[in-house]
Each structure stands twice: as structure tokens, then as C-alpha cells.
Amino acid sequence: YRSTDYGTTYEKLNDKVGLKTILSYLYVCPTNKRKIMLLTDPEIESSLLISSDEGATYQKYRLNFYIQSLLFHPKQEDWILAYSQDQKLYSSAEFGRRWQLIQEGVVPNRFYWSVMGSNKEPDLVHLEARTIDGHSQYLTCRMQNCTEANRNKPFPGYIDPDSLIVQDDYVFVQLTSGGRPHYYVSYRRNAFAQMKLPKYALPKDMHVISTDENQVFAAVQEWNQNDTYNLYISDTRGVYFTLALENVQSSRGPEGNIMIDLYEVAGIKGMFLANKKIDNQVKTFITYNKGRDWRLLQAPDTDLRGDPVHCLLPYCSLHLHLKVSENPYTSGVIASRDTAPSIIVASGNIGSELSDSDISMFVSSDAGNTWRQIFEEEHSVLYLDQGGVLVAMKHTSLPIRHLWLSFDEGRSWSKYSFTSIPLFVDGVLGEPGEETLIMTVFGHFSHRSEWQLVKVEYKSIFDRRCAEEDYRPWQLHSQGEACIMGAKRIYKKRKSERKCMQGKYAGAMESEPCVCTEADFDCDYGYERHSNGQCLPAFWFNPSSLSKDCSLGQSYLNSTGYRKVVSNNCTDGVREQYTAKPQKCPGKAPRGLRIVTADGKLTAEQGHNVTLMVQLEEGDVQRTLIQVDFGDGIAVSYVNLSSMEDGIKHVYHNVGIFRVTVQVDNGLGSDSAVLYLHVTCPLEHVHLSLPFVTTKNKEVNATAVLWPSQVGTLTYVWWYGNNTEPLITLEGSISFKFTSEGMNTITVQVSAGNAILQDTKSIAVYEEFRSLRLSFSPNLDDYNPDIPEWRRDISRVIKKSLVEATGVPSQHILVAVLPGLPTTAELFVLPYQDPTGENKRSAEDLEQISELLIHKLNQNSVHFELKPGVQILVHAAHLTAAPLVDLTPTHSGSAMLMLLSVVFVGLAVFVIYKFKRKIPGINVYAQMQNEKEREMVSQVSHPESRPHIPQTELRRPGQLIDDKVESQLIG
């Protein structure tokens, strides 16, 4: 619908936009109100409708992306940025008729147009984008030419996700290192500098409150705060911050966003209201000089009925709720306007602290010096005619039919009916024109009815426009003090008894600067105000440190401990006495030398650039020789620190711990510093090497095999058996024993930097067992991808074939296909004990089962079908007898004979090995294990140059490796 008579009549425009078009959002160009853009519902279609005649006619344009939000240029009416639902940023220079992709992977709500005056190019776009590996970067580029070659990175390295803010002359980013967030600022697009809070503020969170008038007002949550924030105010560059107010109350918004109980009063620069927490009580304070001085609010002298209010400061005062409405169609609990600078309307209570009960409405018509109670319940208040008319509607969930009007800044109120049928009010729209007296109330008569629009026009109340004689002068003051922010400001106000229409806002009548006094100066960075009013250095601050960036022959500003509040207009007086003085830089020997990485970490990645920063607390930086040794055989020299402002970039080609040293000498002295840098590469895979089966009380070796093999310093966490606590080692191999039979699980976790990888294997433990090597017909190799999943599936098929061919119960058989080619497998013949604990198989039983299996295998009776037409034969290679455990107290003749047999067989195997010959038969289990290891473990290669890292040799275990080992072993 469209109205051209301030809402008296409406025209339906469905046919202008398409009868079946479903609309989702409406935008009005902020620099040309004639231009309107409508978005369609993205679930139906992706289109936009453009009007250049205030919505009378539309042109439809289809899009190949779905718009989530738009950002109009502050000056150029046809320039728009569009953010898509798939995190891509597009630009248009033709008011949405054509679009061009700027960047993919843009962080939501972290894209900005250039700020006029701070950027030379009006078409410059600032944005935060995610890289492929998930890091965030601050990028700038031209809207129509944002190729990789034309993108700039004003901040070196990565930034914390969702931290870019571009506001007025300032750009803010956050970078967390060592578990602490660090904040950086760029003033007027110059190089970034780290924001300096008091040394032990140790911030956990920061929110920029305002950046107007060349100063940053920020809320900082410090290390010992949970639901409160401290307010800090900066110098012009936004670098050095001083405390303005402690323990300001905070809360969570409906979408989880942090809301600070701080309100900037419109129309009066430097005036704020804040709710401060004192001894678990929340009290409202006011400042007129941007946080230098704060005081409680004086409660009204009388209540709504005219009865006296007994409220004595500081024990009792007025407290206000300071939340601003996020709904543009409803007013918040506090309101003020630029065109009505003295009028503040808010809800609150009188007492010792702020309360959510007994809420009343209060108004101040002298900028917060005195207050009056106007309602005993919450109301929404709308400003009309530059504050000449205040409209109040009751906050209620019930339908209403009345509103209240005041023509004398809230001193008296008249009741009016705006509808004959009570209306559930959803919101109120005030016409934004400067000279209009029209508002529209929208709501519904019942929960099932359609919206109702009620136009309320107040022009008929006034019979004329205000003339000069209808106004009186009013001077802004704070409890009688007329000099505020270094000036006396006098405004003109309509006389309360004159009922005339004000029209266009005239602003202040005159402004006169004041003589500077101590009250116009705040404590400088590093100084604190004491009880006598003096600003003295904090215990952690060394005033001479301000000259640390200073070179011999130059000069610097030597602080007096005071700095004038930014935008304070005072002149003369104590200004000269309190202003910082230029002073010649002294010649100093180097002191306080440090070398750190740009991100504050002690780790770097192999083959990637690491940026090292050399920091000097004091010393002549221009005539300084700096020598940096990277610890890998490479060293560099510089002639002054200024040539190293962007850091020193270096690439390490080996993994290890490197000793980085820096030596500084300027003729007056020298200093040195050391950094131990851990160079790593990402750990990609961990494989636990372990036997499938072992005998009871026999030592078992477990080894963690890594890919790549050299990744830096590692920690191994081992879980095995029934242990409730892990074994933590710095070596990748351990030995242990199992004292009882059964299945056991072993897990190893390998910690490499921020990454933790693990592998888990199972091992069967028996008193005795037999092992038989299996081979297969060669055609199986053609289908072997050599991956663990395939080996597990084939092992299950082989076991099934053996059970079918021999009739041996499946509980006696364990098959494990081994890695590598040609394809081989290990067949384990296991004892089996029924659940009653009886009928346990003896050694003779295992021999019989083994002979039966060998017999069937030699007869080619064991085979399986891999796929239609592909038959695989299973053959026996050789049998291994695991060591038998003699449980009797004396050695019988048969046991001794068996032991001699084993020794004889071992000797025969040794002779055969010497002559490089192989014969089928029985070999000792340990030798077969070593053969398997030799097949699977490759030769360890040694790099030509070894970095400074402890190396540990691993024992080669006599065991099987379950997965293919693609690299060397390392501890």
C-alpha cells in the first residue's frame, strides 16, 4: 500500500509489483528518498523491485543469488553492497540493476563502505573474509575491481573472527594470543597500533561505544568482572585509554548480544547516563564532560500527587532504566532527541537502587538537573514538533483508546481519545519531516483481525507558527555550573504558556568558550587521580617510557600527567600548565629488549612464513645495530628499529626447537634477548602398531607410528587394560604385560600443538595359541586396494571359508590380513573355553586343529568367491608354535622334549636364514613377527641437517602392523 497524504488514504499496489509476488523487505535509499527497493521472498524467487518515483511504479530484476542484507553508500545514492545467504558480498553501481561479486566467505555484518575524509577512494570497501583454512583477514578493495591482485591487507596476518569494526576515522581489530585478546586500532587509515589500557586491566571483552568527535569511548570487561564493564576513554588516535567509570551494569539481549547500561543523551555532546553496580546495588549516574566527573541523579521533590518525596543523596536518588528499543516502531524505556536537547524521558524508580518493580515515568526539561514524575506506569513517549509536543501511550498488553499530550515539556498532560474501539497497539510511527505534526498508530482490534492504521494529526491544535517573542533563552548547566566541556551554551526554548508550532529546529543561540580550569583536564594514560585531585603515576607506569619510540636529536611530548578532554573548547587559564611539553629525546642505552612472534605464539609451521617482532622498551632506535640469528644457520642485520616496524619474516624448512637470538647495540650500550621457537608440521595420521594375539604374562610392545614422522614435540597418552588413569609419555613406544586371558583394548592419543589424534586396537591374550601364515592365489592382488577396511572384510570372508571347509568352531579361529603386497594373512588357532569354565582346549587339541587346517589348506579345500567369476584359493605358508606356559611345579619329560624340539627348530631356522633359503614348516613365533616387521617398516632416513630438538630412538617391536606404514618411525 502507498499513501501520498500522510496516511489519510492508501492505494493498493499489488498489480504494480505482480499479483503473485511475495515481498519480504523494503529499503528506502538514505540519500534520495525517492528511490525505493523491494526484496521478494527468497523461498519463492530471488528478485528485487526498484522504484525511482517514491514507490509509484516498479521495475523487476531477477538475481542469481539470495540477498540477506543491503548496505547503502553514505554519499552515492546508486552504490549498494549486498550480502548473500551463502556469505558472498556483491556490489552495484546502478541501484541494484546489475551486480558484481566482490568477495566470497565474508563474515556477516563485517563489511563497510569507506568513510569520507578517511579514505581517498569513495568506492573502497572494507571487509572481513575467511580463508580456506578458517582464519579471518581484514581486506580492502575497490567495489568494481576486487581481484586478488587489487586487494590490500591493512592489518598484517590474521585477526580474530567477527572482530573487524570500521567506524568514523577508526578501524578496530582483535587478535588473541597466549589466551588473551589484544586490540588494535588504525586512526585515519594509518598503520595499526595496539590499544593501550592500564597494564593490569587484562581485558576479556571490549565494545566500542562511540567514536564521534575524534575520540573512542569503549566498554571493557576486565579479568575480574562477570556482569559489569569498565568505561574507558581514549586520546585522539584511539591508542591510550584512561578509566572513565567502573563496574557499569551489563545484560544479554534477546539474541545473546551484550547490552551495556550506558545511554548517550542526544543533542548535548559529552552527556551520558550509566548504571553502575556498587556493593550489589545498581545506581544511575550522569556525566556532562564525557566521563571525567559522575554524580547521582537528584530525585523529584514531589510525586505525581504533589506529596513531598523524602530522598536524601547519596543514600537515595533517582534510578533509570537505560535500554533502548530494538524495535523501530516502539520507543524504549528512555528517549531524547537532537532537536530537543534539554528534554529526557525515562522510566525508573526512586530509592537506594534500580528496581524492576514500582516503575514510574520521569521527565527532565533541563538536561538531567531536575526531574518530575509524569506517570505511575510505563508509557511509550513520542517527540513531535521538535519536542514541542510529547505524546504518551500506555505500555500494556490490553487494548487502549486514549493517549496523552503535553505542550509544556511534560509539566502538564491532556487526555485524548484516538479511536472509538479499543485497539491492541503494536507500534507508533512518527512522520520524520521536521515541520509535520502527524503520527500513525497501528495495531489490531482482536487477535484475529487485520492490522488497523489510525492517523493522528495535531495541526488543528495550533493556530499559528511560533515567532521570536514566543521563545526564551535557556542555558545548559550542571548543578549551576555553566561551563560544560569548556563552553557556555545558550539555547532558545518555547515559552511554556505559548501554544504555537515550532517548525524547523534552530539549535543553540550562542556558544562562548570558558577559561580552562583543572576540571577540563582528565588524567593522562598511566596516571591516576588521587583523593586530593592530583593525577600521579600508577605503580606500574614509568613516565620516561613515553620516550621509548624516540631517537636522539628528535623530540617527544612529555606528559604533565593531565590531558584535556577531547572536544573540550576551553582556552587560556591552566591550559599551558597542564598541556604536554615537547622535549628533546635523550640518548639512552638499549633496555628491555624482547623478541616475539607477531601473533604472540611460541610455535610456527614448517614451510610457512613466521613474523618476528623486535621490541625495545627504551634506547636510541635510529642509531642501533640489530643482529637476528634464527637458529637454523641463517642470520640477518638491520641498522635501526624503524626498518623492522612490520616485523621480520622467516621460513623454517625443518621441524624442531630453534633458539632465536637478537642482539642490539647503539654505542651507548647493548642488550640481547632469546626466543625458543617450536617449529612443527601438522600431524595427519596416527597408527597404533600392536600384535593381534599375545600370551599371558609376556611383554608386549605397542608403538605409535606417525605420518608425517617428524612433527615436533609430542605427548603420548596411553589407555590399556582396566586402567582408570592413562600413562603419559614423551616416547611413542611402551611395553606392558597382561596377567589374565581375554580381549583387551589399547588406545593411544597423540597431542601435537592444538591437534589430538588417536588410534585404538584390540589384542587377544591366551596362555597358548598357534599361528599360521596364509597366502593366496595371485589374482587376489589385483583387487587389493591395501586399505584397512578391505583387509577387515577379507579377513571375515577367509574365516568363514575356513570354518565351512574344516568344521572347526569359529571361536578357535582369528584371521588378520596383513598390509602390503603380495597379499598375506595370519591365521591364529586359539583355545576356547565355554561359559561354564570347563572343556578348555589343551595344547594337543590346538595341535590337532592346526593339523586339520593345514591338511585342508594343502588339499586346496579352502577358497572363496571374491566376485562373480573370481575364485580365490587359500594356501598354508608355515605354522608357528607360540611358547607354551608350563603350569606344573616340576618339569615333565614331555615338556622337556617339547622344549628341546623348539630349540632344535630355532637352530634350523637360523641356519636356513644364514643360507638365504626358505622352507615351509614350523618357525618360532618371535622370528615370524620380526619378518613381518621387516616387510612393513621402511628404513629410517636421516635429514642432512638436524634442528635443535631432542631425538629418541625407538625399539623395533616384534609384532604385526595393522595398517600400511607410509613413513618412518619417530619418537
Side-chain angles (χ1 to χ4, degrees):
Y1 293 86
R2 178 174 182 264
S3 174
T4 57
D5 52 9
Y6 296 106
T8 302
T9 60
Y10 284 87
E11 176 190 2
K12 197 171 186 177
L13 300 179
N14 286 22
D15 57 333
K16 301 287 180 65
V17 299
L19 294 175
K20 294 184 178 180
T21 301
I22 299 178
L23 304 177
S24 63
Y25 211 88
L26 179 148
Y27 290 91
V28 178
C29 177
T31 53
N32 184 353
K33 300 297 177 65
R34 295 182 59 84
K35 293 187 175 182
I36 295 172
M37 183 177 293
L38 299 172
L39 300 185
T40 61
D41 188 343
E43 295 186 1
I44 307 299
E45 62 174 330
S46 181
S47 300
L48 52 83
L49 296 101
I50 297 173
S51 172
S52 300
D53 53 9
E54 296 181 312
T57 59
Y58 293 90
Q59 290 177 297
K60 192 171 186 178
Y61 296 87
R62 295 197 176 274
L63 303 174
N64 58 0
F65 61 96
Y66 295 95
I67 294 178
Q68 182 169 311
S69 61
L70 294 179
L71 183 65
F72 290 86
H73 193 277
K75 298 291 183 181
Q76 300 290 333
E77 62 185 56
D78 289 336
W79 293 4
I80 308 174
L81 296 178
Y83 186 73
S84 69
Q85 294 182 359
D86 55 354
Q87 299 186 340
K88 295 178 181 178
L89 188 65
Y90 297 83
S91 68
S92 174
E94 303 176 48
F95 201 74
R97 292 172 177 84
R98 292 184 181 86
W99 294 92
Q100 181 174 332
L101 177 65
I102 293 182
Q103 176 71 35
E104 298 183 4
V106 177
V107 177
N109 301 317
R110 299 296 174 183
F111 50 91
Y112 309 86
W113 282 110
S114 64
V115 177
M116 307 306 293
S118 294
N119 292 106
K120 296 179 181 178
E121 306 92 352
D123 62 341
L124 194 69
V125 178
H126 303 257
L127 57 92
E128 179 183 331
R130 288 195 181 94
T131 61
I132 297 176
D133 52 1
H135 293 104
S136 285
Q137 283 184 320
Y138 168 31
L139 305 176
T140 61
C141 63
R142 310 289 285 271
M143 63 178 288
Q144 298 292 324
N145 188 19
C146 197
T147 61
E148 183 70 32
N150 293 308
R151 293 188 196 120
N152 292 319
K153 298 177 183 177
F155 186 82
Y158 300 126
I159 64 175
D160 286 356
D162 204 28
S163 70
L164 175 66
I165 299 174
V166 180
Q167 194 167 306
D168 296 327
D169 286 335
Y170 301 91
V171 180
F172 305 92
V173 296
Q174 176 181 320
L175 178 63
T176 298
S177 62
R180 293 180 185 173
H182 301 277
Y183 303 93
Y184 295 84
V185 62
S186 166
Y187 177 60
R188 292 186 173 173
R189 310 307 180 256
N190 292 315
F192 277 88
Q194 186 169 347
M195 297 163 68
K196 302 290 186 181
L197 294 166
K199 186 174 182 179
Y200 295 107
L202 305 178
K204 297 189 295 185
D205 189 26
M206 176 185 286
H207 296 272
V208 175
I209 303 297
S210 70
T211 54
D212 55 357
E213 297 192 325
N214 296 321
Q215 192 172 36
V216 180
F217 210 15
V220 177
Q221 187 172 62
E222 300 187 13
W223 64 274
N224 56 350
Q225 295 178 305
N226 293 317
D227 59 352
T228 60
Y229 281 71
N230 289 349
L231 296 182
Y232 283 90
I233 196 162
S234 79
D235 60 351
T236 300
R237 292 170 51 225
V239 174
Y240 292 100
F241 284 77
T242 56
L243 183 64
L245 185 65
E246 291 183 295
N247 295 320
V248 177
Q249 183 72 12
S250 69
S251 59
R252 289 275 180 185
E255 297 181 359
N257 53 311
I258 297 293
M259 301 178 68
I260 312 294
D261 269 19
L262 178 73
Y263 180 77
E264 184 173 8
V265 178
I268 301 178
K269 295 297 182 184
M271 185 176 174
F272 289 84
L273 291 160
N275 284 331
K276 179 179 179 179
K277 195 171 186 178
I278 305 174
D279 298 329
N280 291 322
Q281 289 186 326
V282 178
K283 300 174 183 287
T284 301
F285 287 77
I286 190 171
T287 180
Y288 293 86
N289 52 11
K290 219 167 188 180
R292 189 220 183 263
D293 301 293
W294 296 84
R295 63 172 175 82
L296 293 166
L297 296 180
Q298 177 66 57
D301 294 329
T302 60
D303 63 13
L304 196 59
R305 289 174 290 276
D307 297 329
V309 174
H310 302 286
C311 186
L312 183 64
L313 290 173
Y315 311 103
C316 173
S317 59
L318 174 64
H319 309 286
L320 304 178
H321 293 275
L322 303 179
K323 292 182 175 60
V324 179
S325 175
E326 295 184 354
N327 185 344
Y329 309 118
T330 60
S331 65
V333 292
I334 185 168
S336 60
R337 294 291 182 272
D338 286 325
T339 54
S342 63
I343 303 174
I344 308 169
V345 182
S347 65
N349 64 280
I350 299 171
S352 60
E353 63 176 322
L354 183 65
S355 172
D356 289 326
S357 58
D358 298 325
I359 296 177
S360 299
M361 296 297 297
F362 298 88
V363 65
S364 173
S365 55
D366 58 1
N369 284 281
T370 61
W371 296 81
R372 297 182 300 276
Q373 185 181 9
I374 54 177
F375 297 105
E376 290 184 334
E377 296 176 285
E378 277 194 86
H379 283 64
S380 294
V381 178
L382 199 69
Y383 288 65
L384 296 178
D385 190 32
Q386 320 308 338
V389 180
L390 298 179
V391 183
M393 301 184 71
K394 186 177 180 181
H395 262 188
T396 177
S397 59
L398 301 175
I400 58 175
R401 58 196 303 178
H402 296 102
L403 52 78
W404 297 83
L405 293 180
S406 175
F407 301 95
D408 53 6
E409 300 178 337
R411 291 178 176 84
S412 61
W413 295 81
S414 302
K415 187 177 181 181
Y416 290 85
S417 174
F418 68 92
T419 174
S420 57
I421 303 174
L423 186 73
F424 291 94
V425 176
D426 295 316
V428 181
L429 282 171
E431 170 61 36
E434 289 184 332
E435 300 183 21
T436 57
L437 283 165
I438 297 171
M439 59 179 280
T440 302
V441 182
F442 61 95
H444 49 278
F445 292 132
S446 69
H447 293 295
R448 295 183 178 179
S449 69
E450 294 182 346
W451 263 3
Q452 308 294 321
L453 299 181
V454 181
K455 175 187 175 184
V456 185
E457 187 170 349
Y458 301 95
K459 282 185 179 180
S460 59
I461 295 176
F462 304 109
D463 54 3
R464 64 182 179 89
R465 287 185 175 273
C466 295
E468 192 66 31
E469 61 270 15
D470 294 314
Y471 292 93
R472 62 178 177 86
W474 174 78
Q475 185 170 46
L476 174 66
H477 67 93
S478 170
Q479 299 296 294
E481 174 55 53
C483 284
I484 294 177
M485 296 294 284
K488 295 179 181 179
R489 281 173 281 180
I490 298 176
Y491 299 81
K492 67 176 186 178
K493 280 191 171 191
R494 192 184 64 184
K495 297 176 181 178
S496 59
E497 68 274 11
R498 304 293 175 90
K499 191 177 286 189
C500 57
M501 189 171 67
Q502 295 193 107
K504 187 170 289 188
Y505 172 64
M509 286 179 61
E510 64 178 82
S511 178
E512 177 186 343
C514 297
V515 175
C516 291
T517 66
E518 188 270 341
D520 295 305
F521 290 82
D522 206 349
C523 290
D524 204 351
Y525 175 78
Y527 292 80
E528 296 173 335
R529 191 176 300 279
H530 288 243
S531 56
N532 60 1
Q534 282 188 309
C535 294
L536 299 176
F539 75 93
W540 49 266
F541 182 67
N542 178 13
S544 66
S545 65
L546 292 176
S547 64
K548 67 181 180 180
D549 297 328
C550 189
S551 298
L552 190 64
Q554 296 180 339
S555 62
Y556 72 102
L557 289 176
N558 187 17
S559 175
T560 62
Y562 299 84
R563 72 182 184 197
K564 195 172 74 165
V565 176
V566 177
S567 70
N568 185 298
N569 297 317
C570 73
T571 59
D572 301 330
V574 299
R575 179 178 179 180
E576 183 68 22
Q577 176 186 344
Y578 282 3
T579 301
K581 307 294 189 298
Q583 187 168 322
K584 291 291 184 180
C585 297
K588 293 183 180 180
R591 190 180 70 83
L593 180 66
R594 294 177 64 224
I595 181 167
V596 297
T597 58
D599 57 7
K601 298 178 180 178
L602 296 175
T603 60
E605 194 169 327
Q606 178 190 15
H608 289 70
N609 262 325
V610 59
T611 302
L612 300 171
M613 310 296 293
V614 176
Q615 300 169 351
L616 188 63
E617 188 171 322
E618 64 179 44
D620 184 7
V621 298
Q622 293 299 325
R623 296 173 176 84
T624 303
L625 176 65
I626 305 105
Q627 294 177 310
V628 181
D629 187 337
F630 297 106
D632 61 349
I634 300 175
V636 293
S637 297
Y638 297 87
V639 292
N640 60 64
L641 276 177
S642 59
S643 61
M644 305 163 58
E645 288 181 351
D646 297 331
I648 309 167
K649 290 182 168 52
H650 185 65
V651 176
Y652 286 91
H653 299 286
N654 292 318
V655 170
I657 304 175
F658 295 87
R659 186 175 186 268
V660 185
T661 60
V662 58
Q663 179 82 20
V664 174
D665 191 332
N666 69 352
L668 300 174
S670 61
D671 198 2
S672 61
V674 176
L675 170 68
Y676 295 99
L677 186 66
H678 292 244
V679 178
T680 64
C681 67
L683 180 61
E684 299 178 10
H685 180 70
V686 173
H687 161 74
L688 178 58
S689 174
L690 191 71
F692 297 108
V693 185
T694 187
T695 53
K696 188 172 69 172
N697 293 319
K698 179 185 176 182
E699 194 171 78
V700 177
N701 290 329
T703 299
V705 183
L706 312 179
W707 173 256
S709 59
Q710 295 200 21
V711 294
T713 307
L714 302 172
T715 303
Y716 299 84
V717 182
W718 305 86
W719 303 82
Y720 60 90
N722 296 321
N723 294 351
T724 57
E725 295 294 331
L727 173 65
I728 301 176
T729 70
L730 296 178
E731 296 185 0
S733 179
I734 62 170
S735 299
F736 48 86
K737 296 179 181 179
F738 292 104
T739 58
S740 59
E741 292 186 295
M743 294 298 296
N744 291 273
T745 299
I746 300 178
T747 298
V748 62
Q749 295 178 323
V750 183
S751 174
N754 294 327
I756 298 180
L757 278 69
Q758 76 173 36
D759 191 19
T760 300
K761 292 290 186 298
S762 295
I763 182 172
V765 180
Y766 296 100
E767 287 187 0
E768 54 187 356
F769 61 90
R770 297 292 183 272
S771 174
L772 182 66
R773 178 68 67 91
L774 302 179
S775 60
F776 305 92
S777 49
N779 57 342
L780 181 59
D781 293 343
D782 297 335
Y783 302 94
N784 184 355
D786 202 18
I787 59 175
E789 297 93 323
W790 185 88
R791 291 192 289 270
R792 284 195 293 269
D793 288 339
I794 293 298
S795 298
R796 189 176 63 254
V797 173
I798 298 168
K799 178 178 178 178
K800 182 180 178 182
S801 302
L802 287 167
V803 170
E804 291 176 352
T806 63
V808 175
S810 61
Q811 296 89 341
H812 288 293
I813 296 176
L814 175 64
V815 177
V817 175
L818 305 177
L821 295 173
T823 309
T824 57
E826 191 77 10
L827 168 61
F828 296 95
V829 182
L830 308 175
Y832 172 69
Q833 187 174 3
D834 60 28
T836 63
E838 300 177 356
N839 303 324
K840 185 175 180 179
R841 297 282 186 172
S842 64
E844 291 79 5
D845 296 329
L846 296 182
E847 285 295 339
Q848 291 177 6
I849 295 174
S850 300
E851 291 174 1
L852 175 59
L853 289 168
I854 293 173
H855 177 69
K856 291 293 185 181
L857 289 167
N858 290 338
Q859 288 187 338
N860 295 333
S861 300
V862 183
H863 53 80
F864 60 91
E865 189 175 51
L866 185 66
K867 57 187 297 187
V870 179
Q871 287 288 331
I872 306 297
L873 286 175
V874 185
H875 310 285
H878 44 253
L879 181 69
T880 299
L884 298 178
V885 180
D886 189 2
L887 301 177
T888 59
T890 59
H891 300 287
S892 65
S894 58
M896 186 61 70
L897 181 60
M898 184 171 294
L899 180 60
L900 290 173
S901 301
V902 171
V903 172
F904 175 76
V905 170
L907 183 60
V909 170
F910 177 77
V911 173
I912 293 170
Y913 176 79
K914 283 294 185 181
F915 287 95
K916 308 293 186 184
R917 296 175 56 192
K918 289 186 178 181
I919 60 172
I922 300 176
N923 296 314
V924 293
Y925 180 66
Q927 184 209 334
M928 187 202 71
Q929 294 283 58
N930 284 331
E931 286 180 357
K932 294 171 188 168
E933 183 192 23
R934 281 193 296 273
E935 291 173 7
M936 303 314 303
V937 181
S938 61
Q939 181 74 22
V940 178
S941 60
H942 300 277
E944 293 180 4
S945 62
R946 212 178 264 275
H948 183 71
I949 181 171
Q951 299 290 330
T952 306
E953 294 298 328
L954 293 184
R955 290 175 295 162
R956 292 186 175 181
Q959 60 188 41
L960 300 182
I961 295 177
D962 181 49
D963 290 333
K964 182 178 182 181
V965 178
E966 299 178 356
S967 181
Q968 48 209 350
L969 291 172
I970 185 170

